[in-house]
Amino acid sequence: MSTRKKIALIGAGNIGGELAALCARKELGDVILFDIPQKADFARGKALDLEQNGSVLGYDAAIKGTSDWADCAGADVVIITAGIPRKPGQSRDDLVATNVPIIRNVADGLKSACPDAFVIVISNPLDAMVYELKRRTGFPRERVVGMAGVLDSARFQLFLSREANVSVKDVRAMVLGGHGDDMVPILSATTINGVPASLLIPKDKLDAIIARTRVGGGEIVKLMGTSAYYAPASAAVAMAESYLLDQKRLLPAAVYLDGEYGYKDLYMGVPVIIGGRGVEKIIELNLTDDEKAMLAKSAKSVQGITDVVKATPA
Ligand code: APR
């Protein structure tokens, strides 16, 4: 039996497949690709394809497709994409009715099979789904996070780099709040290698970039007919890697707020440090009045959809 780390991916669809490919290439551990019984063979096929890819690219990772929770037992990290993605014209909130029963079903499986895992949720509507997963499993907040901020920040960074005509490697940005159309780009934390972005990009262009970032997911849904998967998978893997390798990266993530930023009993995106103990610290920034107002607006939307999820009958 392997003594490698074990990463269970719940949902073997578009994001699940890309997650498996990245985890394997980075040799983060062995991978379980879990899906519903009707998709078990699909998951097995994808797993086999990815194992064969290892003999071309030269990585050692066992990848197994399954619909049996027993195969996920003892996972160090679990990444959840179970659910349906958006179709053109749908908002993330439109997914509640289908994705709430799914996240509850996954929470029950996790609770028995992977009680000690670090859990990253990607399923939408993100903030409400990760809230429900934590509530249902009763796992501590240090071990249940949502992936949104790394992706939203990456989109923001790309658009900034294109506008300023600089390498995307040098652009650092931070997008906080809920993973919805009122997410909050923090301009004071947006620099091009330390140089304030506002020095290189005029205000009207910055405003247009912020507007595009806010609907960045929708732009792709409109083009592809389904939601993005390469960047979402990479963003979640950055978080998983920080946990598995105790990198202590400072990343924006949806975490359970218990008074931080003035919010309680709510999941929303804020900067955190992720290390070997999970969420090791929540960083409280000094926000401007404008940023506070934007965060309040975003929190209100998140609270609204979280309340709908909480009220959804079992
Ligand atoms: N348990 C495990 N897997 C499930 C369950 C369940 N209860 N219900 C559905 N799934 C699986 C589906 O069978 C499907 O294979 O989840 C997978 C989702 O894959 P895709 O449809 O390809 O969706 P994807 O693009 O990967 O997005 C998944 O992430 O970003 C969000 O909005 C997106 O909520 C969506 C999720």
Side-chain angles (χ1 to χ4, degrees):
M1 218 189 92
S2 169
T3 57
R4 289 182 203 131
K5 297 288 186 191
K6 182 168 175 178
I7 301 149
L9 307 174
I10 312 303
N14 285 337
I15 305 179
E18 182 59 16
L19 283 169
L22 285 168
C23 290
R25 274 186 207 197
K26 287 172 168 275
E27 297 191 319
L28 292 180
D30 289 337
V31 176
I32 301 294
L33 253 181
F34 177 97
D35 212 298
I36 52 175
Q38 303 89 297
K39 296 282 283 288
D41 274 346
F42 178 78
R44 284 187 195 104
K46 219 175 227 198
L48 194 54
D49 185 13
L50 284 164
E51 281 198 317
Q52 291 165 1
N53 199 27
S55 81
V56 182
L57 296 178
Y59 54 71
D60 286 305
I63 306 167
K64 180 176 183 176
T66 185
S67 61
D68 185 353
W69 274 106
D71 288 318
C72 301
D76 298 282
V77 169
V78 175
I79 308 180
I80 301 167
T81 61
I84 56 147
R86 284 196 276 173
K87 296 188 182 54
Q90 280 190 312
S91 79
R92 294 182 179 93
D93 294 355
D94 293 334
L95 303 176
V96 165
T98 36
N99 286 357
V100 169
I102 292 176
I103 206 80
R104 287 181 179 161
N105 171 260
V106 170
D108 295 345
L110 268 188
K111 212 175 157 176
S112 55
C114 319
D116 301 316
F118 180 66
V119 183
I120 303 170
V121 177
I122 304 184
S123 312
N124 275 313
L126 190 270
D127 306 273
M129 288 296 119
V130 60
Y131 179 95
E132 184 62 12
L133 187 107
K134 185 198 177 296
R135 193 190 65 74
R136 183 100 170 180
T137 56
F139 288 178
R141 71 168 176 166
E142 290 73 19
R143 288 201 285 108
V144 182
V145 295
M147 188 295 293
V150 177
L151 172 64
D152 296 328
S153 304
R155 288 177 173 152
F156 190 35
Q157 286 166 188
L158 172 76
F159 302 148
L160 291 166
S161 87
R162 292 289 188 261
E163 181 59 41
N165 199 21
V166 298
S167 164
V168 75
K169 292 179 201 158
D170 289 331
V171 184
R172 309 305 319 156
M174 180 79 75
V175 177
L176 306 183
H179 189 42
D181 296 350
D182 42 24
M183 58 183 79
V184 186
I186 305 295
L187 281 181
S188 53
T190 301
T191 73
I192 299 169
N193 230 347
V195 178
S198 51
L199 218 72
L200 282 99
I201 302 173
K203 186 171 178 323
D204 60 322
K205 298 274 194 228
L206 262 178
D207 289 345
I209 287 172
I210 289 171
R212 186 175 178 194
T213 302
R214 288 196 162 125
V215 293
E219 183 179 358
I220 292 177
V221 173
K222 230 185 259 168
L223 291 166
M224 290 206 301
T226 190
S227 52
Y229 43 96
Y230 294 112
S234 300
V237 167
M239 295 165 74
E241 202 173 12
S242 193
Y243 171 76
L244 287 166
L245 307 183
D246 192 25
Q247 289 173 333
K248 303 195 191 296
R249 292 196 61 191
L250 192 161
L251 299 167
V255 286
Y256 182 84
L257 298 176
D258 187 24
E260 294 86 1
Y261 289 87
Y263 299 98
K264 243 181 172 342
D265 193 33
L266 190 72
Y267 261 88
M268 195 166 63
V270 296
V272 300
I273 292 176
I274 298 178
R277 289 190 300 278
V279 176
E280 298 188 348
K281 196 170 183 180
I282 295 176
I283 310 290
E284 291 204 60
L285 302 175
N286 284 326
L287 300 179
T288 63
D289 287 345
D290 258 11
E291 288 165 348
K292 277 186 200 154
M294 283 193 278
L295 196 64
K297 182 166 178 249
S298 185
K300 200 168 165 221
S301 314
V302 173
Q303 187 68 65
I305 195 71
T306 304
D307 288 343
V308 172
V309 168
K310 277 166 126 171
T312 306

